[in-house]
Amino acid sequence: MDMTIRSRRLRSTPVLRKMVRETRMDASSLIYPLFVTEGEDKKEEIPSMPGQYRYSLDRMPEVLTEMADAGVPSVMLFGIPGQKDECGTGAWAEDGIIQRALLKAKKEVPDLYYITDVCMCEYTSHGHCGILTGDQVDNDKTLPMIAKTALSQVQAGADMVAPSDMMDGRVGEIRHLLDQNGYTDVPIMSYASKYASAFYGPFRDAAGSAPSFGDRKSYQMDYHNRLEALKEVKQDCKEGADIIMVKPALSYLDIVREVRNTVDLPVAAYSVSGEYAMIKAAAMKGWIDEEQMICETTAGIYRAGCDILLTYFAKEIAGFMKEGRIG
């Protein structure tokens, strides 16, 4: 055969395949989502997310140390308060669950980087992400509360804040309040392209944050839309976002690529609870090879253009990177 070009040449050995690998990954880009709850001596497994737990503050350092030892440098904290109210006041309370978690975490495991989810759904009695006027989430009344929540978290020690509420204008509102209080160097990672997704089901089980009525489709995005995602991303960039996030990840890899091609900021993707649960459930049935599936889906997300990955498999992925299986 007279073939000058043979693509298989560069696939002939493991060393060569890794040498020419196009997608590079490193554990420094991993963020582990962590649920913290009220009470003592609690490590409660989340039924719909086997292997994931809610930790009371006294048990939280166990998992923080575990992540640090695995080479996962960052965590994102989600709080589960003991009490909720109509306005979600626990979100910005000085003695709130996240505020106390930050103080303890920074003291006991100071080398990790702490990011906080900024939203109100875990704290409102109705489960929606803001202040209600009638049965609608009032965008403009919610903005000051979201900004106040971000400020309280930073004052408690958050290294970065990540607003997930999807209110119009929230990035600018947070940036203004943080700057006004001297926190000009604290970055904002915006959940810019956050879709109304069935993949969030297990998270709502974990955080107890399902809406008590209706749904979140009036503020989270319609999954049919692509251009709208770019509109949201561009607006958040104008308002001062430092990192742009796409959520979920696996069913939205086209959006990850579009965003990567559109902005000059780092792009994060959140591989959400439903993605985790599907892999775990299929593996428990013996239908798939769990480790290979984790490696392949992770590479796919990075290949689409992700720079930073939020994932419940962070510890496992860091181990696979260390072994040279991916990365």
Side-chain angles (χ1 to χ4, degrees):
M1 296 290 290
D2 183 16
M3 283 194 290
T4 304
I5 298 172
R6 291 180 180 266
S7 298
R8 289 181 58 186
R9 289 191 193 107
L10 297 182
R11 303 177 198 146
S12 58
T13 69
V15 171
L16 191 51
R17 288 193 294 273
K18 192 165 186 180
M19 181 190 300
V20 301
R21 184 172 288 169
E22 298 173 32
T23 301
R24 304 285 179 172
M25 297 164 276
D26 186 88
S28 62
S29 63
L30 296 172
I31 300 171
Y32 179 67
L34 174 61
F35 300 99
V36 292
T37 189
E38 298 284 6
E40 295 181 358
D41 194 28
K42 287 185 178 179
K43 181 182 177 181
E44 303 169 339
E45 187 166 27
I46 301 161
S48 54
M49 298 176 69
Q52 300 301 309
Y53 301 86
R54 305 178 195 92
Y55 294 87
S56 56
L57 298 189
D58 57 327
R59 299 287 301 272
M60 176 185 66
E62 298 173 18
V63 67
L64 295 178
T65 301
E66 191 178 316
M67 290 301 147
D69 290 346
V72 177
S74 306
V75 297
M76 181 180 281
L77 295 172
F78 294 89
I80 305 167
Q83 295 184 329
K84 307 184 180 196
D85 59 41
E86 188 77 8
C87 294
T89 57
W92 62 81
E94 189 175 338
D95 62 347
I97 182 67
I98 284 294
Q99 289 75 7
R100 287 182 287 123
L102 284 164
L103 292 170
K104 187 173 184 65
K106 297 283 274 192
K107 180 181 178 182
E108 300 208 15
V109 191
D111 292 337
L112 287 181
Y113 190 83
Y114 294 99
I115 307 166
T116 49
D117 176 77
V118 181
C119 197
M120 296 172 66
C121 59
E122 296 104 318
Y123 302 91
T124 56
S125 52
H126 46 76
H128 279 284
C129 300
I131 304 299
L132 294 182
T133 296
D135 61 355
Q136 298 295 315
V137 176
D138 191 314
N139 191 95
D140 295 1
K141 286 182 180 178
T142 298
L143 290 179
M145 307 307 154
I146 292 295
K148 187 190 295 190
T149 299
L151 177 61
S152 73
Q153 293 173 348
V154 171
Q155 288 171 334
D159 297 304
M160 179 189 291
V161 292
S164 63
D165 55 289
M166 287 300 285
M167 298 298 114
D168 292 335
R170 87 266 200 217
V171 171
E173 190 89 5
I174 292 170
R175 185 73 276 159
H176 176 72
L177 189 60
L178 291 181
D179 290 356
Q180 199 175 50
N181 284 270
Y183 296 107
T184 56
D185 291 334
V186 174
I188 298 172
M189 176 164 59
S190 170
Y191 287 68
S193 298
K194 181 179 178 181
Y195 286 83
S197 173
F199 284 95
Y200 304 151
F203 175 94
R204 291 172 185 170
D205 178 29
S209 61
S212 61
F213 67 90
D215 54 40
R216 295 179 178 145
K217 292 181 180 178
S218 69
Y219 43 103
Q220 295 177 1
M221 290 174 51
D222 183 343
Y223 56 68
H224 295 85
N225 295 351
R226 178 179 61 86
L227 294 178
E228 186 184 13
L230 302 183
K231 176 184 174 184
E232 291 278 5
V233 163
K234 290 173 184 176
Q235 183 60 39
D236 284 2
C237 290
K238 287 179 185 175
E239 292 180 20
D242 300 285
I243 299 171
I244 294 296
M245 188 200 296
V246 176
K247 180 184 180 186
L250 281 180
S251 291
Y252 298 84
L253 297 182
D254 59 323
I255 305 302
V256 175
R257 172 46 59 186
E258 291 271 15
V259 171
R260 173 68 286 156
N261 289 344
T262 301
V263 304
D264 57 4
L265 298 178
V267 175
Y270 194 149
S271 184
V272 298
S273 58
E275 298 169 35
Y276 173 90
M278 288 194 304
I279 290 176
K280 294 298 287 190
M284 289 167 70
K285 286 284 190 180
W287 293 340
I288 62 169
D289 182 311
E290 181 175 334
E291 293 187 353
Q292 289 190 35
M293 188 69 78
I294 294 169
C295 290
E296 185 173 343
T297 54
T298 298
I301 297 168
Y302 279 96
R303 189 182 63 243
C306 153
D307 303 300
I308 300 162
L309 179 61
L310 294 91
T311 171
Y312 300 97
F313 286 122
K315 184 178 73 169
E316 291 84 352
I317 293 168
F320 298 148
M321 289 176 173
K322 200 173 293 184
E323 294 168 11
R325 294 174 63 175
I326 55 172

